Amino acid sequence: MASTETRPVITVLTAPDEERPPGLDPLFERAEVRFAWDAGTLRQTLPGTRIMMVTDFRTDALREAWPSAESLEWIHATSAGVDALMFPELVNSGVTVTNAQGIFDRSIAEYVLCTILMFAKDFPHSIRLQMAHQWQHRDTERAQGSRVLVVGAGSIGRQIGRLVTAVGMEAHGVARRARSDDPDFEAVHDNAAIPEQLGLADYVVIAAPLTPATEKLFDAKAFQAMKPTARLINIGRGPIVDTQALVEALQSGEIAGAGLDVFEEEPLPSDHPLWAMENVTMTAHMAGDFIGWKKALTEQFFDNLDNWVAGRDFFNVVDKASGYVPNR
């Protein structure tokens, strides 16, 4: 339980080129607030720090500065993925980790639905024709009746399942445990069923966290298991996909296309072959970022800070052994 006798020390860890999170002003009245942006500054701010707010989801600064975290009790990550924080010393410690589950779910689901409809209605080609001032009539696909496999049936996956079902598609999920009574999916299959389910899906959506079990889960064998007419959509983490295997699958026609928001290397190099592929759509790791998202993240942190002060249970507690918040 948190003590209210003294103001706690809270360190906010941002990326080196990132502005301070908006909406933090009330925090200065409640705590001693320190700011860090790399391992060096974090070593200076960590002594005495009881709470951390981490806005840089790629950072390795905490691992480097970990010996200075002698008073740390709770880390809140303002991202859904916490893979950068799952280093052994933290995983094996008593420090609680929470994340931003719930903030980006709907926005990411909208992005996925948009990407599916863009592929079905061939909008990338239409835009290229428009830019070339060419009038070309052609037939396109119907999304209705398509089968969507969501690999990662957590809170984001559930929102995806709801939206694609609402427009007449058939949603299936993949999770650690199979279940047939999930309200957001026709069925949820276990991980062992992935190869079989890949062969049945018209759209495969990666919504899983990056863990040792999911790294390069989508390799050459996975693409060989997919339909040649299927499209891959990745809004999870880039390293879940073997990029070279994906490029080869797209070039050979093993799969029909890919909608990518995340990549093994970010930013994607300007000379990477994915840029020139007409069967690929790409965005700069922004699927969940809606207008006002940064302030929403700060407000969510304040909600859990209220729980810490009152000695109540946190929400969005990450199971550090698995690397994500378990399904409720």
Side-chain angles (χ1 to χ4, degrees):
M1 180 178 294
S3 170
T4 58
E5 295 177 0
T6 59
R7 293 172 8 129
V9 177
I10 299 177
T11 289
V12 180
L13 175 62
T14 64
D17 57 351
E18 181 184 0
E19 295 181 357
R20 292 181 178 182
L24 276 184
D25 288 351
L27 191 61
F28 292 91
E29 301 175 2
R30 305 176 61 174
E32 178 187 335
V33 184
R34 302 171 180 174
F35 291 90
W37 50 89
D38 58 19
T41 53
L42 192 57
R43 290 189 189 97
Q44 297 173 18
T45 61
L46 269 180
T49 293
R50 300 176 68 186
I51 299 168
M52 281 189 65
M53 178 183 183
V54 180
T55 68
D56 182 1
F57 64 86
R58 299 183 181 93
T59 187
D60 58 2
L62 181 57
R63 184 172 193 170
E64 295 180 31
W66 184 253
S68 300
E70 86 289 344
S71 301
L72 196 58
E73 300 174 19
W74 165 41
I75 299 171
H76 179 73
T78 61
S79 58
V82 293
D83 44 278
L85 298 176
M86 294 297 101
F87 53 90
E89 294 86 350
L90 174 53
V91 170
N92 295 325
S93 74
V95 176
T96 299
V97 177
T98 58
N99 74 354
Q101 178 174 286
I103 296 293
F104 301 108
D105 297 5
R106 178 70 182 200
S107 185
I108 290 175
E110 291 173 357
Y111 176 99
V112 170
L113 178 59
C114 173
T115 303
I116 290 173
L117 295 177
M118 284 179 65
F119 277 127
K121 298 308 172 188
D122 200 19
F123 255 68
H125 191 191
S126 294
I127 292 170
R128 288 193 296 272
L129 290 171
Q130 178 184 347
M131 299 303 293
H133 297 197
Q134 293 181 17
W135 179 279
Q136 184 183 109
H137 178 273
R138 62 205 190 283
D139 297 334
T140 60
E141 305 167 20
R142 294 182 66 177
Q144 184 179 19
S146 298
R147 184 172 176 129
V148 180
L149 180 67
V150 183
V151 180
S155 63
I156 294 173
R158 288 179 178 281
Q159 284 285 348
I160 294 168
R162 291 169 198 164
L163 280 191
V164 301
T165 299
V167 296
M169 291 182 272
E170 183 180 319
H172 285 252
V174 172
R176 283 191 300 174
R177 291 181 295 275
R179 51 187 186 268
S180 58
D181 58 348
D182 194 289
D184 299 312
F185 296 99
E186 292 283 332
V188 174
H189 312 272
D190 62 20
N191 291 328
I194 289 178
E196 175 189 4
Q197 291 302 315
L198 287 177
L200 301 173
D202 300 296
Y203 296 92
V204 177
V205 182
I206 301 173
L210 177 60
T211 68
T214 62
E215 186 170 2
K216 292 195 186 307
L217 177 65
F218 280 79
D219 56 9
K221 288 184 179 180
F223 298 127
Q224 290 165 7
M226 290 172 62
K227 291 181 178 181
T229 55
R231 281 89 170 206
L232 177 77
I233 301 172
N234 189 7
I235 49 79
R237 281 288 188 261
I240 297 175
V241 174
D242 182 327
T243 306
Q244 184 57 39
L246 173 62
V247 168
E248 293 172 2
L250 290 165
Q251 289 173 333
S252 67
E254 210 158 47
I255 65 173
L260 307 172
D261 183 58
V262 291
F263 305 86
E264 282 191 277
E265 182 179 0
E266 296 181 3
L268 189 68
S270 60
D271 60 349
H272 197 281
L274 284 171
W275 287 107
M277 291 186 174
E278 294 189 354
N279 56 347
V280 174
T281 66
M282 297 192 299
T283 48
H285 204 142
M286 52 186 276
D289 295 351
F290 55 91
I291 296 171
W293 64 274
K294 291 185 177 181
K295 187 174 181 181
L297 289 173
T298 301
E299 292 170 350
Q300 184 186 54
F301 169 72
F302 276 115
D303 289 341
N304 244 345
L305 179 62
D306 290 341
N307 289 332
W308 183 84
V309 170
R312 299 188 297 261
D313 290 340
F314 291 116
F315 58 84
N316 288 0
V317 176
V318 173
D319 178 347
K320 293 186 291 184
S322 60
Y324 53 86
V325 177
N327 283 329
R328 291 186 292 273

